Amino acid sequence: MFVSDKALELVPRYGAFLEKHIIPLEQGAIYGSFRAHLPALQALRAKAKEEGLFAPHLPVSHGGLGLSLVDFASISEVLGTSPLGHYVFNCNAPDIGNMELMHQFASPYLQEKYLRPLERGEIRSCFAMTEPEHAGSNPVHMSTTAVRDGDEYVINGHKWFTSSADGASFTIVMAVTNPSAENKYERASMIVVPLDNPGYRMIRNIPIMGDEGEDYLSHSEVEFVNCRVPVSHLIGTEGSGFTLAQVRLGPGRIHHCMRWIGICERALGMMCDRAIERELNPGHSLAMQQTIQNWIAESAAEIKASRLLVLNTAHIIEKKGAKAAKEDISTIKFYVSDVLMKVIDRAIQVHGGLGITDDTLLSFWYRHERGARIYDGPDEVHKSVLAKSILKSRMG
């Protein structure tokens, strides 16, 4: 549905690349040292460029494939079957969101200095918005400030879950620049900060259920102390931070949801393989148990429903804009994240003791994807948005 012939031709090419080159690296890069595997991963990025598969989301003029949001969504599902997929093809979060944002709203100066190297895969970036002192579900409450001092902003604040900050070259910071603005959604701005700035400090990589991670596979706590950057590092206009955040989040939820569906497909395949090969008694496999059969059937149906919901939402965003798809975006966020956790949990249960070890990717996904129901707005907020819209339509 909605997917072009071009994307349908690309899907098996990406799948074959993952199977041959990326999946063999997974266990070492995920459970060992990601940084130690960077040379091999960089070589794969170069190979992806050679094969014309690099940066599928970017315009052709910027070294990409020029895919539509719907077409990229179909590719994103394939890449999501490996934790390294999006990284190798340079369409990983948070870089992809920063690229899209800067492509639309950054000045030519910022694009040349930061966006172009990011698009080429020469550097990485991060996005600093969430603060430990305030509820992330209501980001109008923010303590980080950027005060104008001549031709500079002086930034002070404390952020966390600044994903992939470890090893990144710059961040986009959400900071309050207009505290007295009557409209609370016009108080914050987005500003580019190079991470070699003396006013920036990475405090730690936050352990996620015991896994601290490193480099791209990490979530950092950071602080800005009298961090000075030129006013020219402002993205868009002062006070437009929340507007830009919404622009960034619309397509971003499509990216996340299709990645989650890719994880679900891989987990379902692992579930089926384990059920077939694991015998309870000689000649009697797990696959013969009706409960297991129910889990497989339910997972397959939920994955298919998720895919159709997300592709339809991407289609609406493309044709009418993110604002017209507001309720659809909320729907896919809470629905697909719930399916994700259900499918992973069933796969773990079918694997038994093996499922909770690091001998498969299931434990990695269980730890790191539980946050899917929290980040980009918790499920409860999105359910409330949808319910209020439905109730309003009934009340006339």
Side-chain angles (χ1 to χ4, degrees), residues 18 30 34 59 118 175 184 191 222 233 238 268 289 296 337:
L18 263 77
I30 297 303
F34 182 88
L118 189 63
K184 60 185 178 181
I191 302 169
V222 305
H233 280 214
E238 275 199 1
L268 174 58
Q289 299 296 109
I296 291 169
S337 62

Side-chain angles (χ1 to χ4, degrees), residues 248-386:
R248 190 179 186 277
L249 281 174
R253 293 198 179 111
I254 299 294
H255 305 160
H256 277 311
C257 286
M258 293 307 288
R259 181 177 63 82
W260 298 339
I261 293 168
I263 294 171
C264 288
E265 284 283 14
R266 179 94 178 265
L268 174 58
M270 294 168 67
M271 190 194 318
C272 292
D273 291 344
R274 179 68 172 178
I276 291 167
E277 68 190 25
R278 190 65 162 179
E279 289 189 335
L280 298 172
N281 291 301
H284 190 94
S285 69
L286 276 175
M288 299 170 71
Q289 299 296 109
Q290 189 173 29
T291 295
I292 307 296
Q293 294 169 359
N294 286 343
W295 290 347
I296 291 169
E298 289 165 5
S299 297
E302 290 162 351
I303 290 169
K304 184 175 285 188
S306 296
R307 183 184 299 110
L308 293 173
L309 277 171
V310 178
L311 289 177
N312 182 63
T313 302
H315 179 71
I316 295 171
I317 292 174
E318 279 198 328
K319 298 300 180 183
K320 301 180 181 179
K323 188 173 182 180
K326 180 181 177 182
E327 287 79 20
D328 300 275
I329 291 170
S330 286
T331 301
I332 63 172
K333 173 59 172 64
F334 73 76
Y335 183 81
V336 183
S337 62
D338 185 55
V339 169
L340 170 67
M341 293 314 301
K342 281 197 254 185
V343 173
I344 293 174
D345 190 68
R346 290 168 188 152
I348 289 174
Q349 196 71 7
V350 171
H351 279 72
L354 175 63
I356 58 173
T357 71
D358 287 354
D359 290 353
T360 78
L361 289 177
L362 294 173
S363 64
F364 171 82
W365 281 323
Y366 196 81
R367 282 194 292 268
H368 289 275
E369 300 303 340
R370 177 57 182 84
R373 295 186 53 219
I374 300 171
Y375 59 71
D376 279 6
D379 286 4
E380 293 74 18
V381 170
H382 290 288
K383 289 177 181 179
S384 179
V385 168
L386 179 61

Side-chain angles (χ1 to χ4, degrees), residues 133-145:
E133 294 82 9
H134 301 288
S137 58
N138 189 10
V140 294
H141 299 295
M142 192 175 295
S143 296
T144 300
T145 60

Side-chain angles (χ1 to χ4, degrees), residues 20-35:
K20 183 177 180 180
H21 302 294
I22 298 177
I23 289 176
L25 291 178
E26 284 177 342
Q27 205 71 13
I30 297 303
Y31 293 123
S33 168
F34 182 88
R35 191 166 280 122

